[in-house]
mmCIF file of all heavy atoms in Angstrom:
data_model
loop_
_atom_site.group_PDB
_atom_site.id
_atom_site.type_symbol
_atom_site.label_atom_id
_atom_site.label_comp_id
_atom_site.label_asym_id
_atom_site.label_seq_id
_atom_site.Cartn_x
_atom_site.Cartn_y
_atom_site.Cartn_z
ATOM 1 N N LYS A 1 -42.766 -16.324 -66.304
ATOM 2 C CA LYS A 1 -43.237 -15.648 -65.153
ATOM 3 C C LYS A 1 -44.384 -16.489 -64.520
ATOM 4 O O LYS A 1 -45.073 -17.300 -65.112
ATOM 5 C CB LYS A 1 -43.678 -14.255 -65.425
ATOM 6 C CG LYS A 1 -42.546 -13.350 -65.842
ATOM 7 C CD LYS A 1 -43.018 -12.002 -65.954
ATOM 8 C CE LYS A 1 -41.871 -11.055 -66.289
ATOM 9 N NZ LYS A 1 -42.430 -9.580 -66.371
ATOM 10 N N GLU A 2 -44.613 -16.206 -63.188
ATOM 11 C CA GLU A 2 -45.717 -16.702 -62.446
ATOM 12 C C GLU A 2 -47.071 -16.184 -62.890
ATOM 13 O O GLU A 2 -47.150 -15.017 -63.419
ATOM 14 C CB GLU A 2 -45.536 -16.597 -61.016
ATOM 15 C CG GLU A 2 -44.284 -17.223 -60.427
ATOM 16 C CD GLU A 2 -44.416 -18.763 -60.448
ATOM 17 O OE1 GLU A 2 -45.563 -19.276 -60.009
ATOM 18 O OE2 GLU A 2 -43.444 -19.418 -60.804
ATOM 19 N N ARG A 3 -48.112 -16.918 -62.770
ATOM 20 C CA ARG A 3 -49.475 -16.415 -63.110
ATOM 21 C C ARG A 3 -49.783 -15.414 -62.071
ATOM 22 O O ARG A 3 -49.574 -15.587 -60.874
ATOM 23 C CB ARG A 3 -50.472 -17.637 -63.154
ATOM 24 C CG ARG A 3 -51.822 -17.204 -63.649
ATOM 25 C CD ARG A 3 -52.652 -18.453 -63.863
ATOM 26 N NE ARG A 3 -52.113 -19.422 -64.825
ATOM 27 C CZ ARG A 3 -52.699 -20.585 -65.176
ATOM 28 N NH1 ARG A 3 -53.875 -20.882 -64.713
ATOM 29 N NH2 ARG A 3 -52.069 -21.470 -66.054
ATOM 30 N N GLU A 4 -50.379 -14.297 -62.437
ATOM 31 C CA GLU A 4 -50.606 -13.143 -61.597
ATOM 32 C C GLU A 4 -52.049 -12.717 -61.780
ATOM 33 O O GLU A 4 -52.719 -12.779 -62.797
ATOM 34 C CB GLU A 4 -49.717 -12.008 -61.730
ATOM 35 C CG GLU A 4 -49.805 -11.358 -63.114
ATOM 36 C CD GLU A 4 -48.964 -10.176 -63.323
ATOM 37 O OE1 GLU A 4 -48.195 -9.893 -62.365
ATOM 38 O OE2 GLU A 4 -49.011 -9.543 -64.425
ATOM 39 N N PHE A 5 -52.577 -12.227 -60.674
ATOM 40 C CA PHE A 5 -53.965 -11.608 -60.629
ATOM 41 C C PHE A 5 -54.106 -10.373 -61.509
ATOM 42 O O PHE A 5 -53.204 -9.548 -61.482
ATOM 43 C CB PHE A 5 -54.320 -11.336 -59.131
ATOM 44 C CG PHE A 5 -55.621 -10.576 -58.998
ATOM 45 C CD1 PHE A 5 -56.828 -11.172 -59.115
ATOM 46 C CD2 PHE A 5 -55.542 -9.204 -58.693
ATOM 47 C CE1 PHE A 5 -57.988 -10.476 -59.052
ATOM 48 C CE2 PHE A 5 -56.686 -8.426 -58.567
ATOM 49 C CZ PHE A 5 -57.899 -9.065 -58.741
ATOM 50 N N VAL A 6 -55.294 -10.314 -62.170
ATOM 51 C CA VAL A 6 -55.458 -9.125 -63.006
ATOM 52 C C VAL A 6 -56.744 -8.394 -62.455
ATOM 53 O O VAL A 6 -56.704 -7.215 -62.123
ATOM 54 C CB VAL A 6 -55.663 -9.533 -64.482
ATOM 55 C CG1 VAL A 6 -56.090 -8.218 -65.285
ATOM 56 C CG2 VAL A 6 -54.435 -10.138 -64.987
ATOM 57 N N ALA A 7 -57.864 -9.094 -62.367
ATOM 58 C CA ALA A 7 -59.124 -8.550 -61.964
ATOM 59 C C ALA A 7 -60.043 -9.584 -61.423
ATOM 60 O O ALA A 7 -59.915 -10.763 -61.744
ATOM 61 C CB ALA A 7 -59.781 -7.774 -63.205
ATOM 62 N N ALA A 8 -61.095 -9.112 -60.646
ATOM 63 C CA ALA A 8 -62.087 -10.073 -60.200
ATOM 64 C C ALA A 8 -63.428 -9.399 -59.974
ATOM 65 O O ALA A 8 -63.368 -8.179 -59.830
ATOM 66 C CB ALA A 8 -61.647 -10.658 -58.816
ATOM 67 N N ILE A 9 -64.495 -10.142 -60.083
ATOM 68 C CA ILE A 9 -65.817 -9.516 -60.018
ATOM 69 C C ILE A 9 -66.696 -10.421 -59.155
ATOM 70 O O ILE A 9 -66.660 -11.761 -59.210
ATOM 71 C CB ILE A 9 -66.371 -9.246 -61.392
ATOM 72 C CG1 ILE A 9 -67.687 -8.537 -61.369
ATOM 73 C CG2 ILE A 9 -66.556 -10.573 -62.223
ATOM 74 C CD1 ILE A 9 -68.142 -7.922 -62.580
ATOM 75 N N SER A 10 -67.542 -9.816 -58.366
ATOM 76 C CA SER A 10 -68.349 -10.588 -57.471
ATOM 77 C C SER A 10 -69.521 -11.214 -58.201
ATOM 78 O O SER A 10 -69.798 -11.068 -59.374
ATOM 79 C CB SER A 10 -68.989 -9.744 -56.272
ATOM 80 O OG SER A 10 -69.787 -8.705 -56.853
ATOM 81 N N ARG A 11 -70.288 -12.072 -57.450
ATOM 82 C CA ARG A 11 -71.377 -12.836 -57.975
ATOM 83 C C ARG A 11 -72.420 -11.843 -58.645
ATOM 84 O O ARG A 11 -72.985 -12.063 -59.719
ATOM 85 C CB ARG A 11 -72.090 -13.661 -56.982
ATOM 86 C CG ARG A 11 -71.279 -14.835 -56.412
ATOM 87 C CD ARG A 11 -71.984 -15.488 -55.293
ATOM 88 N NE ARG A 11 -71.295 -16.642 -54.861
ATOM 89 C CZ ARG A 11 -70.218 -16.552 -53.992
ATOM 90 N NH1 ARG A 11 -69.796 -15.464 -53.603
ATOM 91 N NH2 ARG A 11 -69.628 -17.680 -53.630
ATOM 92 N N SER A 12 -72.743 -10.825 -58.001
ATOM 93 C CA SER A 12 -73.675 -9.833 -58.482
ATOM 94 C C SER A 12 -73.117 -8.814 -59.603
ATOM 95 O O SER A 12 -73.864 -8.176 -60.226
ATOM 96 C CB SER A 12 -74.173 -9.058 -57.364
ATOM 97 O OG SER A 12 -73.324 -8.191 -56.816
ATOM 98 N N GLY A 13 -71.838 -8.706 -59.530
ATOM 99 C CA GLY A 13 -71.148 -7.791 -60.441
ATOM 100 C C GLY A 13 -70.970 -6.321 -59.832
ATOM 101 O O GLY A 13 -70.439 -5.479 -60.481
ATOM 102 N N VAL A 14 -71.463 -6.244 -58.598
ATOM 103 C CA VAL A 14 -71.380 -4.933 -57.917
ATOM 104 C C VAL A 14 -69.972 -4.647 -57.454
ATOM 105 O O VAL A 14 -69.483 -3.529 -57.556
ATOM 106 C CB VAL A 14 -72.283 -4.930 -56.773
ATOM 107 C CG1 VAL A 14 -72.054 -3.594 -55.893
ATOM 108 C CG2 VAL A 14 -73.724 -4.996 -57.229
ATOM 109 N N SER A 15 -69.190 -5.658 -56.931
ATOM 110 C CA SER A 15 -67.822 -5.400 -56.417
ATOM 111 C C SER A 15 -66.864 -5.917 -57.426
ATOM 112 O O SER A 15 -66.925 -7.036 -58.097
ATOM 113 C CB SER A 15 -67.670 -6.166 -55.136
ATOM 114 O OG SER A 15 -68.608 -5.704 -54.187
ATOM 115 N N THR A 16 -65.770 -5.093 -57.592
ATOM 116 C CA THR A 16 -64.633 -5.493 -58.409
ATOM 117 C C THR A 16 -63.322 -5.228 -57.717
ATOM 118 O O THR A 16 -63.212 -4.424 -56.855
ATOM 119 C CB THR A 16 -64.623 -4.824 -59.758
ATOM 120 O OG1 THR A 16 -64.711 -3.367 -59.458
ATOM 121 C CG2 THR A 16 -65.798 -5.182 -60.578
ATOM 122 N N LEU A 17 -62.270 -6.001 -58.116
ATOM 123 C CA LEU A 17 -60.897 -5.777 -57.715
ATOM 124 C C LEU A 17 -59.959 -5.686 -58.924
ATOM 125 O O LEU A 17 -60.251 -6.495 -59.742
ATOM 126 C CB LEU A 17 -60.530 -6.980 -56.745
ATOM 127 C CG LEU A 17 -61.212 -7.056 -55.355
ATOM 128 C CD1 LEU A 17 -60.792 -8.308 -54.676
ATOM 129 C CD2 LEU A 17 -60.908 -5.802 -54.497
ATOM 130 N N TYR A 18 -58.910 -4.944 -58.839
ATOM 131 C CA TYR A 18 -57.954 -4.797 -59.885
ATOM 132 C C TYR A 18 -56.589 -4.843 -59.384
ATOM 133 O O TYR A 18 -56.302 -4.198 -58.312
ATOM 134 C CB TYR A 18 -58.255 -3.595 -60.722
ATOM 135 C CG TYR A 18 -59.637 -3.546 -61.435
ATOM 136 C CD1 TYR A 18 -60.689 -2.938 -60.750
ATOM 137 C CD2 TYR A 18 -59.788 -4.259 -62.530
ATOM 138 C CE1 TYR A 18 -61.904 -2.831 -61.397
ATOM 139 C CE2 TYR A 18 -61.036 -4.188 -63.126
ATOM 140 C CZ TYR A 18 -62.149 -3.562 -62.581
ATOM 141 O OH TYR A 18 -63.389 -3.448 -63.147
ATOM 142 N N ALA A 19 -55.671 -5.390 -60.097
ATOM 143 C CA ALA A 19 -54.241 -5.249 -59.770
ATOM 144 C C ALA A 19 -53.868 -3.778 -60.073
ATOM 145 O O ALA A 19 -54.449 -3.111 -60.935
ATOM 146 C CB ALA A 19 -53.396 -6.141 -60.703
ATOM 147 N N ASP A 20 -52.854 -3.270 -59.299
ATOM 148 C CA ASP A 20 -52.445 -1.942 -59.458
ATOM 149 C C ASP A 20 -52.028 -1.588 -60.915
ATOM 150 O O ASP A 20 -52.187 -0.518 -61.394
ATOM 151 C CB ASP A 20 -51.354 -1.612 -58.477
ATOM 152 C CG ASP A 20 -51.821 -1.482 -57.073
ATOM 153 O OD1 ASP A 20 -53.012 -1.327 -56.817
ATOM 154 O OD2 ASP A 20 -50.984 -1.587 -56.210
ATOM 155 N N SER A 21 -51.397 -2.601 -61.511
ATOM 156 C CA SER A 21 -50.822 -2.399 -62.893
ATOM 157 C C SER A 21 -51.891 -2.193 -64.045
ATOM 158 O O SER A 21 -51.579 -1.738 -65.122
ATOM 159 C CB SER A 21 -50.027 -3.685 -63.241
ATOM 160 O OG SER A 21 -50.733 -4.868 -63.298
ATOM 161 N N VAL A 22 -53.173 -2.575 -63.709
ATOM 162 C CA VAL A 22 -54.243 -2.448 -64.687
ATOM 163 C C VAL A 22 -55.362 -1.567 -64.295
ATOM 164 O O VAL A 22 -56.180 -1.181 -64.999
ATOM 165 C CB VAL A 22 -54.868 -3.810 -65.079
ATOM 166 C CG1 VAL A 22 -53.742 -4.768 -65.523
ATOM 167 C CG2 VAL A 22 -55.623 -4.423 -63.907
ATOM 168 N N LYS A 23 -55.282 -1.046 -63.037
ATOM 169 C CA LYS A 23 -56.271 -0.237 -62.470
ATOM 170 C C LYS A 23 -56.452 1.091 -63.344
ATOM 171 O O LYS A 23 -55.526 1.704 -63.606
ATOM 172 C CB LYS A 23 -56.019 0.132 -61.038
ATOM 173 C CG LYS A 23 -57.210 0.715 -60.236
ATOM 174 C CD LYS A 23 -56.866 0.966 -58.814
ATOM 175 C CE LYS A 23 -56.648 -0.497 -58.128
ATOM 176 N NZ LYS A 23 -56.259 -0.308 -56.595
ATOM 177 N N GLY A 24 -57.709 1.429 -63.721
ATOM 178 C CA GLY A 24 -57.941 2.544 -64.454
ATOM 179 C C GLY A 24 -57.951 2.303 -65.952
ATOM 180 O O GLY A 24 -58.408 3.067 -66.774
ATOM 181 N N ARG A 25 -57.412 1.069 -66.364
ATOM 182 C CA ARG A 25 -57.346 0.748 -67.866
ATOM 183 C C ARG A 25 -58.224 -0.522 -68.208
ATOM 184 O O ARG A 25 -58.792 -0.598 -69.271
ATOM 185 C CB ARG A 25 -55.918 0.354 -68.152
ATOM 186 C CG ARG A 25 -54.951 1.509 -68.012
ATOM 187 C CD ARG A 25 -53.584 1.175 -68.514
ATOM 188 N NE ARG A 25 -52.971 0.034 -67.840
ATOM 189 C CZ ARG A 25 -52.640 -1.069 -68.465
ATOM 190 N NH1 ARG A 25 -52.739 -1.213 -69.768
ATOM 191 N NH2 ARG A 25 -52.016 -2.080 -67.749
ATOM 192 N N PHE A 26 -58.389 -1.418 -67.170
ATOM 193 C CA PHE A 26 -59.173 -2.605 -67.420
ATOM 194 C C PHE A 26 -60.405 -2.511 -66.615
ATOM 195 O O PHE A 26 -60.451 -2.013 -65.531
ATOM 196 C CB PHE A 26 -58.377 -3.899 -66.950
ATOM 197 C CG PHE A 26 -57.151 -4.220 -67.792
ATOM 198 C CD1 PHE A 26 -56.767 -3.418 -68.848
ATOM 199 C CD2 PHE A 26 -56.552 -5.436 -67.570
ATOM 200 C CE1 PHE A 26 -55.544 -3.714 -69.557
ATOM 201 C CE2 PHE A 26 -55.419 -5.803 -68.423
ATOM 202 C CZ PHE A 26 -54.996 -4.923 -69.424
ATOM 203 N N THR A 27 -61.497 -3.137 -67.198
ATOM 204 C CA THR A 27 -62.747 -3.221 -66.508
ATOM 205 C C THR A 27 -63.405 -4.518 -66.555
ATOM 206 O O THR A 27 -63.588 -5.025 -67.748
ATOM 207 C CB THR A 27 -63.772 -2.162 -67.160
ATOM 208 O OG1 THR A 27 -63.174 -0.803 -66.946
ATOM 209 C CG2 THR A 27 -65.061 -2.146 -66.262
ATOM 210 N N ALA A 28 -63.679 -5.225 -65.483
ATOM 211 C CA ALA A 28 -64.386 -6.464 -65.459
ATOM 212 C C ALA A 28 -65.928 -6.294 -65.343
ATOM 213 O O ALA A 28 -66.281 -5.332 -64.653
ATOM 214 C CB ALA A 28 -63.901 -7.279 -64.280
ATOM 215 N N SER A 29 -66.697 -6.997 -66.020
ATOM 216 C CA SER A 29 -68.057 -7.050 -66.017
ATOM 217 C C SER A 29 -68.567 -8.391 -66.276
ATOM 218 O O SER A 29 -67.926 -9.310 -66.674
ATOM 219 C CB SER A 29 -68.653 -6.014 -66.998
ATOM 220 O OG SER A 29 -68.398 -6.362 -68.330
ATOM 221 N N ARG A 30 -70.002 -8.545 -66.030
ATOM 222 C CA ARG A 30 -70.549 -9.888 -66.290
ATOM 223 C C ARG A 30 -71.970 -9.743 -66.625
ATOM 224 O O ARG A 30 -72.661 -8.777 -66.301
ATOM 225 C CB ARG A 30 -70.397 -10.831 -65.091
ATOM 226 C CG ARG A 30 -71.179 -10.271 -63.733
ATOM 227 C CD ARG A 30 -70.734 -11.039 -62.564
ATOM 228 N NE ARG A 30 -71.086 -12.523 -62.624
ATOM 229 C CZ ARG A 30 -70.586 -13.483 -61.867
ATOM 230 N NH1 ARG A 30 -69.625 -13.136 -60.957
ATOM 231 N NH2 ARG A 30 -70.964 -14.706 -61.969
ATOM 232 N N ASP A 31 -72.493 -10.768 -67.410
ATOM 233 C CA ASP A 31 -73.866 -10.812 -67.821
ATOM 234 C C ASP A 31 -74.343 -12.139 -67.303
ATOM 235 O O ASP A 31 -74.000 -13.113 -68.078
ATOM 236 C CB ASP A 31 -73.925 -10.668 -69.406
ATOM 237 C CG ASP A 31 -75.400 -10.574 -69.806
ATOM 238 O OD1 ASP A 31 -76.226 -11.122 -69.130
ATOM 239 O OD2 ASP A 31 -75.615 -10.037 -70.876
ATOM 240 N N ASN A 32 -74.983 -12.316 -66.278
ATOM 241 C CA ASN A 32 -75.405 -13.500 -65.724
ATOM 242 C C ASN A 32 -76.393 -14.240 -66.580
ATOM 243 O O ASN A 32 -76.562 -15.521 -66.684
ATOM 244 C CB ASN A 32 -75.963 -13.282 -64.370
ATOM 245 C CG ASN A 32 -74.857 -13.080 -63.340
ATOM 246 O OD1 ASN A 32 -73.744 -13.161 -63.603
ATOM 247 N ND2 ASN A 32 -75.342 -12.644 -62.122
ATOM 248 N N ALA A 33 -77.235 -13.509 -67.344
ATOM 249 C CA ALA A 33 -78.074 -14.114 -68.257
ATOM 250 C C ALA A 33 -77.518 -14.827 -69.365
ATOM 251 O O ALA A 33 -78.030 -15.887 -69.780
ATOM 252 C CB ALA A 33 -79.091 -13.038 -68.836
ATOM 253 N N LYS A 34 -76.318 -14.369 -69.801
ATOM 254 C CA LYS A 34 -75.611 -14.997 -70.845
ATOM 255 C C LYS A 34 -74.509 -15.829 -70.316
ATOM 256 O O LYS A 34 -73.714 -16.474 -71.021
ATOM 257 C CB LYS A 34 -74.947 -13.867 -71.737
ATOM 258 C CG LYS A 34 -76.011 -13.115 -72.605
ATOM 259 C CD LYS A 34 -75.312 -12.117 -73.560
ATOM 260 C CE LYS A 34 -76.345 -11.388 -74.381
ATOM 261 N NZ LYS A 34 -75.589 -10.494 -75.345
ATOM 262 N N LYS A 35 -74.368 -15.837 -68.943
ATOM 263 C CA LYS A 35 -73.305 -16.662 -68.295
ATOM 264 C C LYS A 35 -71.936 -16.394 -68.775
ATOM 265 O O LYS A 35 -71.129 -17.244 -69.051
ATOM 266 C CB LYS A 35 -73.581 -18.169 -68.421
ATOM 267 C CG LYS A 35 -74.947 -18.757 -67.924
ATOM 268 C CD LYS A 35 -75.143 -20.149 -68.070
ATOM 269 C CE LYS A 35 -76.484 -20.618 -67.486
ATOM 270 N NZ LYS A 35 -76.696 -22.024 -67.618
ATOM 271 N N THR A 36 -71.704 -15.062 -68.968
ATOM 272 C CA THR A 36 -70.530 -14.655 -69.535
ATOM 273 C C THR A 36 -69.859 -13.532 -68.549
ATOM 274 O O THR A 36 -70.561 -12.627 -68.197
ATOM 275 C CB THR A 36 -70.651 -14.164 -70.965
ATOM 276 O OG1 THR A 36 -71.237 -15.140 -71.705
ATOM 277 C CG2 THR A 36 -69.290 -13.709 -71.610
ATOM 278 N N VAL A 37 -68.493 -13.643 -68.571
ATOM 279 C CA VAL A 37 -67.738 -12.575 -67.933
ATOM 280 C C VAL A 37 -66.779 -11.911 -68.942
ATOM 281 O O VAL A 37 -66.322 -12.577 -69.736
ATOM 282 C CB VAL A 37 -66.976 -13.081 -66.756
ATOM 283 C CG1 VAL A 37 -65.919 -14.021 -67.101
ATOM 284 C CG2 VAL A 37 -66.299 -11.937 -65.980
ATOM 285 N N TYR A 38 -66.631 -10.570 -68.728
ATOM 286 C CA TYR A 38 -65.847 -9.794 -69.796
ATOM 287 C C TYR A 38 -64.671 -9.143 -69.094
ATOM 288 O O TYR A 38 -64.771 -8.770 -67.881
ATOM 289 C CB TYR A 38 -66.807 -8.890 -70.454
ATOM 290 C CG TYR A 38 -67.960 -9.382 -71.104
ATOM 291 C CD1 TYR A 38 -69.072 -9.330 -70.439
ATOM 292 C CD2 TYR A 38 -67.844 -9.796 -72.350
ATOM 293 C CE1 TYR A 38 -70.360 -9.843 -71.085
ATOM 294 C CE2 TYR A 38 -69.039 -10.413 -73.035
ATOM 295 C CZ TYR A 38 -70.217 -10.349 -72.328
ATOM 296 O OH TYR A 38 -71.387 -10.836 -72.948
ATOM 297 N N LEU A 39 -63.644 -8.890 -69.841
ATOM 298 C CA LEU A 39 -62.549 -8.081 -69.358
ATOM 299 C C LEU A 39 -62.264 -7.009 -70.479
ATOM 300 O O LEU A 39 -61.773 -7.425 -71.502
ATOM 301 C CB LEU A 39 -61.321 -8.861 -69.086
ATOM 302 C CG LEU A 39 -60.109 -8.069 -68.570
ATOM 303 C CD1 LEU A 39 -60.461 -7.482 -67.197
ATOM 304 C CD2 LEU A 39 -58.887 -8.901 -68.464
ATOM 305 N N GLN A 40 -62.744 -5.795 -70.310
ATOM 306 C CA GLN A 40 -62.416 -4.799 -71.292
ATOM 307 C C GLN A 40 -61.059 -4.156 -71.008
ATOM 308 O O GLN A 40 -60.837 -3.728 -69.869
ATOM 309 C CB GLN A 40 -63.534 -3.683 -71.189
ATOM 310 C CG GLN A 40 -63.327 -2.533 -72.121
ATOM 311 C CD GLN A 40 -63.461 -2.851 -73.547
ATOM 312 O OE1 GLN A 40 -64.365 -3.619 -73.996
ATOM 313 N NE2 GLN A 40 -62.504 -2.451 -74.386
ATOM 314 N N MET A 41 -60.204 -4.326 -71.954
ATOM 315 C CA MET A 41 -58.827 -3.720 -71.733
ATOM 316 C C MET A 41 -58.529 -2.581 -72.668
ATOM 317 O O MET A 41 -58.553 -2.717 -73.851
ATOM 318 C CB MET A 41 -57.801 -4.847 -72.120
ATOM 319 C CG MET A 41 -58.054 -6.171 -71.202
ATOM 320 S SD MET A 41 -56.783 -7.453 -71.595
ATOM 321 C CE MET A 41 -57.238 -7.842 -73.216
ATOM 322 N N ASN A 42 -58.270 -1.426 -72.129
ATOM 323 C CA ASN A 42 -58.024 -0.201 -72.721
ATOM 324 C C ASN A 42 -56.548 0.271 -72.518
ATOM 325 O O ASN A 42 -56.002 -0.108 -71.579
ATOM 326 C CB ASN A 42 -59.030 0.907 -72.394
ATOM 327 C CG ASN A 42 -60.429 0.576 -72.706
ATOM 328 O OD1 ASN A 42 -60.724 -0.118 -73.667
ATOM 329 N ND2 ASN A 42 -61.348 1.075 -71.853
ATOM 330 N N SER A 43 -56.079 1.138 -73.377
ATOM 331 C CA SER A 43 -54.719 1.699 -73.145
ATOM 332 C C SER A 43 -53.711 0.575 -73.026
ATOM 333 O O SER A 43 -52.927 0.651 -72.043
ATOM 334 C CB SER A 43 -54.709 2.690 -72.013
ATOM 335 O OG SER A 43 -55.613 3.713 -72.196
ATOM 336 N N LEU A 44 -53.751 -0.403 -73.770
ATOM 337 C CA LEU A 44 -52.865 -1.556 -73.648
ATOM 338 C C LEU A 44 -51.503 -1.249 -73.836
ATOM 339 O O LEU A 44 -51.067 -0.404 -74.671
ATOM 340 C CB LEU A 44 -53.294 -2.639 -74.669
ATOM 341 C CG LEU A 44 -54.554 -3.388 -74.158
ATOM 342 C CD1 LEU A 44 -55.094 -4.192 -75.366
ATOM 343 C CD2 LEU A 44 -54.270 -4.395 -73.076
ATOM 344 N N ARG A 45 -50.646 -1.893 -73.082
ATOM 345 C CA ARG A 45 -49.162 -1.696 -73.095
ATOM 346 C C ARG A 45 -48.441 -3.026 -73.400
ATOM 347 O O ARG A 45 -49.018 -4.081 -73.209
ATOM 348 C CB ARG A 45 -48.673 -1.189 -71.765
ATOM 349 C CG ARG A 45 -49.395 -0.026 -71.189
ATOM 350 C CD ARG A 45 -49.118 0.317 -69.751
ATOM 351 N NE ARG A 45 -49.759 1.320 -69.252
ATOM 352 C CZ ARG A 45 -49.909 1.730 -67.916
ATOM 353 N NH1 ARG A 45 -49.369 0.880 -67.023
ATOM 354 N NH2 ARG A 45 -50.532 2.779 -67.583
#
């Protein structure tokens, strides 16, 4: 399959976008001090 969008997060971490297929289950976050972005995935299918 083609590579598809899952989630995105802005520079500040305030704004996020999610694909309909993961909305409500996945959460994107970031820690700028640690230079790390996270994707918390719950209720996995």
Side-chain angles (χ1 to χ4, degrees):
K1 294 186 177 181
E2 297 292 316
R3 192 170 299 184
E4 65 177 1
F5 170 76
V6 176
I9 186 167
S10 65
R11 293 173 177 81
S12 66
V14 173
S15 299
T16 54
L17 294 173
Y18 299 97
D20 289 340
S21 60
V22 306
K23 194 172 298 181
R25 300 188 297 121
F26 291 9
T27 302
S29 62
R30 64 191 296 162
D31 185 335
N32 287 349
K34 294 183 177 181
K35 299 182 179 180
T36 302
V37 62
Y38 305 95
L39 184 66
Q40 178 66 47
M41 305 184 293
N42 299 326
S43 301
L44 283 164
R45 305 165 180 170

